[in-house]
Amino acid sequence: MKTVGRGKLSDLLIRLAHTCRKLGLNVGTSEIVEAERILETYASLKGGKLRLAEMREVVKAVFAKRVHEERVFEEAWSRVTSSNEVFRELLDKVEEHLRTLRIGYGERIYSKRALVEGADKATRERRRRAYRELKKMGIIVRRGGREVVLPRRAAMRRIAEISRKAHSASEALNRHWLSSLEEGRTSIDPEMLRNAEIPDRTLNRLGTDRLAELGMKAWRVGNKKLAYRAAKRLASLVTSGTLPKDTETTIQLLQLTGTGNLEIYLKLAGADPAVVSRMAKTLGPEVLASHLSSLDRESIKRVLPKLARLLSPDETIRLVGSLPLDTLARLPRSALKDTGRANEAFITAARHVSEAQNLALRYLETMNEAYLNYALHEYSKAKEILDNLDPRRLAPPLRPLYSHVRSLAETLGRPTSSPRDLLLRLAPSISRMDLHQAFRLLSNLYTSPDPEVRREAYRLAQRIWHARATLLKSTILRKWRKTGIRGRVELRETVYRMVRMQQEPLVYRRRRRSPGIVLVVDRSGSMVPYATWAILTASAFSRNVRRLILFGEDVDVIEVSKGPRRLVDLLLSARFGGYTNISAAMLEATRDLPPATLVLISDLKQTVQAESPVRVAERLIRSRWRIVVVAPPSRDLIVEEALRERGVRVEVVRTPWETGKRLARYLW
Amino acid sequence: MEEQKRLAEELVEAKQRTVSRSEAKVKAETILEKVKSIYGELLEPREPVRNPEEMVRRLRQDYRLLVDRELVYLVVAAFLNGRPVLFEGPPGTGKTEVGEAILSLWSGKNAFVLPCSENYDEYRVIGDFHPLMAMKYGFNEESFIPRPLLAAVLLDAGVLVDEIRRSSEEFQNMLLDIVDKRRIIVPELRRVFRAKGLGFQVIFTSNPEDIAQNELSDAFLRRVVRVKFTYPSPEREAEIVRMRLSSTPRLPDHLLSTMIECVNELRSTATHKPGPADTVLWAQLAAKMAELRGSSTVSLDDVVSAARVVLFKRDEDADTVEEVVEKFFGK
């Protein structure tokens, strides 16, 4: 049991306060005095000396006042109280390893083989282990293409860094390894995984690819338990929409551990069609086909060509019946063979019609007559087929599609008087699209050379905006009731004024202050659907948005107060993509405003060299801002974790539509 | 001659001073009497308990509360140094109950509880003027209505300020001034009321995770001693539930431990996180159901149907709760 004598108490508290200040927690002199007084009272109540752990709790109660400050305090406490035993122990270890390898500080390693060579097997094994440990600790590093041992001073610093916070050398080493694993600094050494205990915290901070790699390596060296845990975490990440780049390894791990399910496999296939045939082998192509329609359009388009080759004619027909029309263009011709003449002809016609529709839209965008001619050509081909087709000879799954294709063909086939007329006819298909796709299309049309088309595109954009905003509002408002405070008389103030014989003595109660949210929206390429919904929501509740920021590398401040309709202009004219500077955006957003709530819509991936968003958030929170992040599944996990620790609320949304709903909770 | 005149003047002045002082005394008594007649009944005075060990024992025995010894020591140490205490933690961890009990034991009188809301101000907590009386007599003792905080200062009782984050910053600053200097100024009455004993102490409670509320300022936080409340360990939670539950009908151990596992799972998944208070309520409800059935042991069905009532708090959590309950109880 460690105890502290009275004489050392103030000394300890002062050192602790200094360390706290160094770490960003401002502890005042009055707090040092107060902590000492309370500690003394506490000790006299307990009658005697205090245990170190008890002391920590008491001092923490005085020094740390917020959740993230507790973490800073803990860090400062361990820095001040943990002795330098661990440091010595580690230093001894490093020097012993260096002796084993027969090299010194600052030396270059010309050949690894020569370094770990030895007369007998035991020596070789010992040297190999020493080399591995030194690399793991970062004492041997790669510089300029060659491996070198750090110079003595740098090595000391590195050891001090590792030994911080730890109670023993092995704990320090283990922690160092885990943190380098989290940050992706080291490649995963399978030998280390054999008996490794990796806490959930670390697993939660790994990205999908790293998890897959770790899981597979753990599986290979026989640490099945770790492999299962990695696979489970991986599965939950994929379910929430975070997709890996290395789909092969991911699927391999999920299949080995049996943690995957159909939904996960479909998502993975949607991301990387190269794995479709492999998956079809294990799951059966017909299973994949029957669930394909649950994916989004882009993924269907990617998977369809691969999958169609593996299906029998009957299955192909059933698949076609369940898919949206515009994805059919990706169906390979070879897959249509043997489906029966009528069916084959109809599917071809449907492809022509959908192609004609795409071309017609292209025409409106560019006003290039060639596209219109192509569209008419496609249409005439479709018409020829459809005219000679007897719908009764179609296979049952295709019959519902027939009338749809037929009516679409008729809409396109009527002679057009003007481009505007054509746009009007296509309007229903456009308003059925996803919000961001519709707006992307319309913003292209908005740059069309024909003023009539521009005007109509704008009108259509407003109509779509209005319909979606109304839908959103009605979904949100159903759950909320207004408080009818307005109109009630504030009695006390009124009487005061009456007593003082003031003019107009009646005082009404004020309405509850509106929240006045500052909304910061990321416009990087991957955020388009989410950003579109966020702006839509902001426009629906524009009265409560104090400031709207749209940022990429540069930061635009948008006046919302001039009316929600202006946001439609914004949606039509905003260019998405480019670099992202979250920190600058947050600083710009909060400039000259009193603390309130800041809602950030972003995937937290900062792609420019600037101050880390975590530090900016920390500062803002200290100056009493409340920060909420609404992030898509593909967010940066490490930044997310760091933000959460500092008291930021992070909400992960699965679909763009959900962004609107979540945001409305803060705006309304 | 001059000398005499000066002396006479001084005499008159001194007389006036004594008169105003004695008047003030009379007034003080009237306010004190008012306070006593309004709040006296609520206090139920008894022997104050200021020894931490004794306090822990009494908390367990009289209030049925399991409180860490370290926590009680810390609170008492803070009180002895004249510092208010801030209890912070998730809902349902017993902040309010523990705070009220400690204050009541400390001052030997039932504590005053101020549940905060945004439009709380000094008139609601210190005192107000009756509008009609004020019109008739002016702003004086006659028309003054003392409110709980003033009553606590005068009667030497503890005050629990519940959910301090919901109140405005102005209000927090006013409270701090009062707690720091242990006195209340009422400018309309031209009076200062001072706390006489150590009994007047303040505990604040707050839940930092709650949405739609204010942050606490640095100035405020610097002046309080912050005690963090967390969810108890499963064993401790079981102990708490057992303590709160009557012995019949009997709740089997395995059911209780599954219930606690279930609640812990919900704490990590649902948006509305059930606290130990919810666990207790759940157990009590299940026991009640068993009793109504006339059975002497709580059955699985009782627990599951009580869960449906207790754990469903928000619409968006409905699926999660359903899933978790099914996972642990198979129903």
Side-chain angles (χ1 to χ4, degrees):
Chain A
M1 191 159 55
K2 286 184 180 175
T3 58
V4 174
R6 254 208 69 179
K8 285 185 183 170
L9 187 62
S10 4
D11 182 45
L12 177 76
L13 285 174
I14 290 166
R15 267 194 298 147
L16 193 60
H18 274 272
T19 319
C20 281
R21 284 177 204 157
K22 223 186 280 170
L23 294 173
L25 169 60
N26 289 327
V27 176
T29 318
S30 67
E31 276 151 296
I32 302 179
V33 175
E34 190 184 325
E36 188 168 353
R37 281 208 333 236
I38 292 184
L39 269 173
E40 277 173 6
T41 320
Y42 190 102
S44 64
L45 281 172
K46 278 237 153 171
K49 283 186 170 182
L50 289 181
R51 274 185 297 131
L52 213 53
E54 256 173 336
M55 220 173 110
R56 189 183 67 201
E57 290 308 309
V58 176
V59 181
K60 191 160 85 177
V62 182
F63 280 12
K65 299 296 163 64
R66 298 205 172 89
V67 179
H68 70 271
E69 288 176 4
E70 274 173 38
R71 205 177 37 80
V72 178
F73 176 82
E74 295 287 347
E75 160 102 35
W77 178 267
S78 61
R79 275 196 200 181
V80 171
T81 55
S82 79
S83 61
N84 55 5
E85 281 164 34
V86 178
F87 178 81
R88 277 243 67 90
E89 208 177 317
L90 278 176
L91 187 64
D92 288 348
K93 211 171 191 173
V94 167
E95 293 192 336
E96 193 196 316
H97 285 327
L98 287 177
R99 272 198 300 279
T100 317
L101 291 175
R102 296 154 299 164
I103 48 173
Y105 291 111
E107 270 184 46
R108 255 185 187 196
I109 297 172
Y110 289 99
S111 151
K112 186 190 155 191
R113 186 177 292 167
L115 195 67
V116 296
E117 204 47 63
D120 56 84
K121 202 178 166 195
T123 321
R124 279 200 296 276
E125 191 50 46
R126 218 176 57 236
R127 290 196 172 139
R128 230 173 260 150
R129 198 168 53 231
Y131 172 78
R132 232 181 3 241
E133 292 232 319
L134 287 178
K135 258 200 103 162
K136 200 174 75 188
M137 286 162 77
I139 301 290
I140 295 181
V141 290
R142 189 165 273 282
R143 262 184 205 158
R146 283 214 176 278
E147 285 189 322
V148 291
V149 182
L150 285 182
R152 197 181 148 80
R153 288 186 69 133
M156 293 288 156
R157 269 205 302 277
R158 172 60 48 85
I159 296 171
E161 207 175 281
I162 299 172
S163 63
R164 198 171 291 155
K165 283 206 287 195
H167 300 294
S168 70
S170 61
E171 189 196 333
L173 277 177
N174 197 29
R175 186 174 298 163
H176 176 67
W177 180 63
L178 288 178
S179 75
S180 53
L181 201 64
E182 280 169 18
E183 287 155 24
R185 274 191 271 126
T186 53
S187 62
I188 301 171
D189 182 0
E191 282 309 307
M192 293 289 297
L193 294 176
R194 202 179 286 282
N195 303 309
E197 292 270 336
I198 296 187
D200 282 337
R201 201 183 113 86
T202 308
L203 280 187
N204 289 349
R205 295 178 72 162
L206 295 183
T208 38
D209 286 312
R210 204 118 169 104
L211 268 174
E213 189 191 345
L214 179 109
M216 272 319 291
K217 283 185 173 163
W219 181 273
R220 284 201 197 110
V221 296
N223 191 344
K224 298 267 162 79
K225 205 172 150 197
L226 181 60
Y228 274 114
R229 283 175 55 217
K232 235 172 145 183
R233 169 75 187 153
L234 188 57
S236 80
L237 275 180
V238 175
T239 315
S240 73
T242 318
L243 295 174
K245 286 200 188 76
D246 185 358
T247 325
E248 274 294 333
T249 320
T250 307
I251 291 182
Q252 206 180 349
L253 177 66
L254 292 178
Q255 283 182 341
L256 277 175
T257 51
T259 25
N261 58 29
L262 193 62
E263 188 196 352
I264 293 177
Y265 288 135
L266 270 171
K267 275 200 173 137
L268 290 172
D272 181 6
V275 296
V276 169
S277 56
R278 182 197 163 99
M279 244 153 42
K281 239 178 255 166
T282 44
L283 292 172
E286 66 286 349
V287 179
L288 279 183
S290 61
H291 289 85
L292 191 62
S293 56
S294 64
L295 288 178
D296 62 297
R297 280 170 196 213
E298 292 308 312
S299 309
I300 294 179
K301 281 184 190 167
R302 278 199 293 269
V303 176
L304 196 57
K306 296 263 175 191
L307 185 62
R309 284 200 199 111
L310 307 170
L311 293 173
S312 70
D314 279 352
E315 285 158 5
T316 311
I317 290 175
R318 226 174 295 142
L319 178 63
V320 168
S322 68
L323 292 180
L325 203 58
D326 56 336
T327 55
L328 290 188
R330 296 299 178 93
L331 199 65
R333 214 166 260 281
S334 58
L336 297 181
K337 256 191 264 168
D338 313 325
T339 49
R341 263 187 49 199
N343 295 331
E344 185 184 347
F346 173 69
I347 295 174
T348 317
R351 285 174 41 167
H352 284 312
V353 171
S354 98
E355 195 59 26
Q357 192 183 346
N358 288 343
L359 285 166
L361 288 172
R362 287 284 290 167
Y363 160 66
L364 287 175
E365 244 173 88
T366 55
M367 280 296 135
N368 185 344
E369 296 267 343
Y371 283 114
L372 187 62
N373 288 339
Y374 276 133
L376 289 175
H377 176 65
E378 290 284 337
Y379 161 72
S380 65
K381 277 204 259 183
K383 188 173 183 323
E384 198 185 316
I385 299 171
L386 287 174
D387 284 345
N388 295 328
L389 190 73
D390 181 3
R392 278 166 302 178
R393 288 174 57 196
L394 287 178
L398 292 181
R399 276 182 209 151
L401 210 57
Y402 177 77
S403 57
H404 179 51
V405 172
R406 188 90 222 189
S407 69
L408 199 61
E410 267 157 27
T411 325
L412 289 170
R414 265 186 279 141
T416 47
S417 55
S418 68
R420 176 175 165 270
D421 182 42
L422 187 61
L423 177 58
L424 278 177
R425 272 191 233 161
L426 291 172
S429 340
I430 297 178
S431 38
R432 263 201 301 274
M433 289 181 181
D434 286 341
L435 185 71
H436 65 280
Q437 274 171 347
F439 267 95
R440 196 161 54 186
L441 181 77
L442 287 174
S443 71
N444 281 341
L445 290 183
Y446 196 52
T447 54
S448 130
D450 185 340
E452 283 282 308
V453 172
R454 284 207 299 270
R455 206 169 303 139
E456 203 50 52
Y458 185 70
R459 245 178 246 156
L460 189 55
Q462 281 206 337
R463 235 169 45 215
I464 293 176
W465 167 81
H466 191 253
R468 302 289 170 104
T470 318
L471 183 67
L472 182 74
K473 266 189 168 173
S474 68
T475 326
I476 303 300
L477 296 190
R478 220 180 299 144
K479 286 192 177 174
W480 298 75
R481 228 173 292 134
K482 275 187 183 174
T483 47
I485 287 180
R486 182 196 259 170
R488 272 160 65 187
V489 176
E490 171 78 60
L491 193 63
R492 185 165 46 74
E493 271 295 310
T494 306
V495 172
Y496 270 34
R497 288 178 164 226
M498 282 163 80
V499 172
R500 292 185 196 128
M501 300 288 186
Q502 285 180 343
Q503 285 182 335
E504 297 190 8
L506 275 183
V507 180
Y508 293 103
R509 285 217 169 116
R510 258 170 305 169
R511 279 181 72 104
R512 192 163 180 264
R513 200 164 22 118
S514 68
I517 298 275
V518 174
L519 187 61
V520 185
V521 181
D522 188 341
R523 64 154 168 238
S524 59
S526 59
M527 290 297 295
V528 177
Y530 302 93
T532 313
W533 269 105
I535 296 174
L536 179 89
T537 317
S539 67
F541 298 99
S542 62
R543 204 182 287 169
N544 289 341
V545 179
R546 196 181 291 175
R547 200 178 262 183
L548 175 64
I549 305 281
L550 200 58
F551 73 97
E553 194 176 7
D554 46 348
V555 180
D556 294 337
V557 182
I558 289 136
E559 294 282 330
V560 193
S561 52
K562 288 189 181 157
R565 298 261 154 163
R566 265 181 57 88
L567 290 171
V568 179
D569 288 349
L570 177 69
L571 279 179
L572 285 179
S573 57
R575 289 280 163 265
F576 289 90
Y579 292 107
T580 318
N581 189 348
I582 303 174
S583 308
M586 288 209 287
L587 288 175
E588 189 59 39
T590 51
R591 173 171 301 173
D592 303 334
L593 282 186
T597 305
L598 181 148
V599 181
L600 172 67
I601 317 275
S602 171
D603 55 4
L604 301 175
K605 288 174 185 160
Q606 178 149 312
T607 48
V608 291
Q609 276 288 350
E611 196 180 3
S612 139
V614 178
R615 302 212 32 191
V616 175
E618 196 171 6
R619 257 206 329 269
L620 288 177
I621 288 175
R622 206 173 299 145
S623 53
R624 306 188 55 220
W625 277 85
R626 208 162 77 93
I627 302 182
V628 180
V629 176
V630 178
S634 59
R635 72 245 180 242
D636 188 317
L637 296 169
I638 292 179
V639 177
E640 182 199 351
E641 173 96 12
L643 284 175
R644 273 188 205 274
E645 276 174 6
R646 283 162 182 76
V648 173
R649 200 185 177 89
V650 183
E651 303 211 19
V652 181
V653 288
R654 283 201 200 183
T655 59
W657 156 247
E658 212 185 324
T659 317
K661 266 171 61 179
R662 285 292 167 91
L663 199 54
R665 257 176 65 185
Y666 292 96
L667 286 178
W668 177 241
Chain B
M1 197 62 183
E2 287 263 317
E3 186 79 353
Q4 254 184 354
K5 208 175 177 183
R6 201 176 51 78
L7 275 176
E9 267 170 19
E10 260 179 29
L11 199 68
V12 171
E13 239 173 66
K15 230 177 203 172
Q16 272 172 352
R17 238 180 284 148
T18 45
V19 167
S20 64
R21 213 175 279 158
S22 64
E23 258 179 21
K25 208 167 185 184
V26 171
K27 279 171 194 165
E29 274 163 9
T30 54
I31 295 268
L32 189 60
E33 274 163 15
K34 228 178 203 176
V35 166
K36 275 187 178 156
S37 71
I38 301 172
Y39 299 100
E41 235 176 276
L42 303 172
L43 292 178
E44 303 170 10
R46 53 195 173 267
E47 194 60 31
V49 180
R50 296 197 175 161
N51 177 347
E53 286 299 330
E54 174 70 4
M55 222 181 223
V56 173
R57 200 182 61 74
R58 291 281 290 276
L59 282 171
R60 196 184 166 110
Q61 190 186 320
D62 302 352
Y63 293 88
R64 289 189 169 199
L65 289 170
L66 263 187
V67 188
D68 280 332
R69 288 175 63 230
E70 279 71 26
L71 190 151
V72 176
Y73 271 100
L74 181 55
V75 172
V76 170
F79 282 174
L80 287 174
N81 281 298
R83 287 283 156 177
V85 181
L86 170 69
F87 283 176
E88 218 167 30
T93 39
K95 299 182 294 290
T96 312
E97 242 180 304
V98 170
E100 201 182 340
I102 289 183
L103 283 170
S104 303
L105 285 173
W106 172 265
S107 59
K109 302 171 185 100
N110 284 351
F112 287 91
V113 180
L114 302 179
C116 282
S117 66
E118 198 166 336
N119 50 3
Y120 243 48
D121 55 15
E122 63 254 52
Y123 297 99
R124 299 253 187 126
V125 295
I126 295 176
D128 204 347
F129 291 92
H130 192 289
L132 298 179
M133 302 261 275
M135 277 180 87
K136 200 168 171 186
Y137 303 112
F139 294 103
N140 54 24
E141 278 81 352
E142 208 66 28
S143 58
F144 187 69
I145 311 166
R147 301 261 187 222
L149 192 62
L150 183 63
V153 168
L154 291 178
L155 299 174
D156 204 30
V159 180
L160 180 87
V161 183
D162 210 5
E163 301 292 355
I164 181 73
R165 275 170 198 261
R166 298 215 177 125
S167 65
S168 66
E169 194 174 339
E170 260 170 85
F171 179 73
Q172 293 165 15
N173 291 342
M174 181 207 73
L175 274 184
L176 274 184
D177 181 56
I178 291 172
V179 174
D180 239 16
K181 312 233 165 75
R182 303 180 67 77
R183 52 114 182 87
I184 292 179
I185 308 174
V186 184
E188 284 96 336
L189 299 179
R190 299 192 198 86
R191 286 283 309 277
V192 177
F193 299 94
R194 288 181 200 286
K196 293 203 180 63
L198 268 179
F200 170 67
Q201 296 294 354
V202 181
I203 292 182
F204 303 103
T205 75
S206 111
N207 165 19
E209 287 159 24
D210 202 355
I211 56 168
Q213 56 178 2
N214 303 321
E215 268 292 323
L216 295 173
S217 70
D218 276 342
F220 181 89
L221 290 173
R222 196 163 329 121
R223 284 178 178 78
V224 297
V225 172
R226 175 173 176 270
V227 179
K228 196 180 174 191
F229 276 61
T230 45
Y231 294 119
S233 64
E235 300 79 44
R236 201 170 169 79
E237 194 162 0
E239 204 182 333
I240 292 172
V241 174
R242 287 266 175 244
M243 204 160 90
R244 285 299 180 100
L245 216 56
S246 53
S247 51
T248 51
R250 205 178 61 80
L251 178 62
D253 279 334
H254 68 274
L255 268 184
L256 179 57
S257 61
T258 322
M259 281 163 74
I260 288 166
E261 271 172 42
C262 173
V263 169
N264 274 318
E265 171 96 10
L266 278 177
R267 279 171 200 158
S268 61
T269 51
T271 18
H272 180 270
K273 304 187 182 343
D278 291 298
T279 323
V280 170
L281 180 63
W282 183 9
Q284 281 172 341
L285 214 61
K288 204 83 205 160
M289 282 170 147
E291 198 184 324
L292 288 174
R293 272 192 309 117
S295 155
S296 64
T297 1
V298 178
S299 73
L300 184 63
D301 286 336
D302 296 327
V303 171
V304 172
S305 40
R308 298 252 148 77
V309 186
V310 177
L311 300 179
F312 282 80
K313 297 279 168 153
R314 285 202 184 140
D315 265 1
E316 64 231 53
D317 283 343
D319 293 342
T320 327
V321 175
E322 193 69 50
E323 242 170 58
V324 171
V325 169
E326 200 176 303
K327 179 173 152 198
F328 285 98
F329 297 101
K331 288 198 179 185

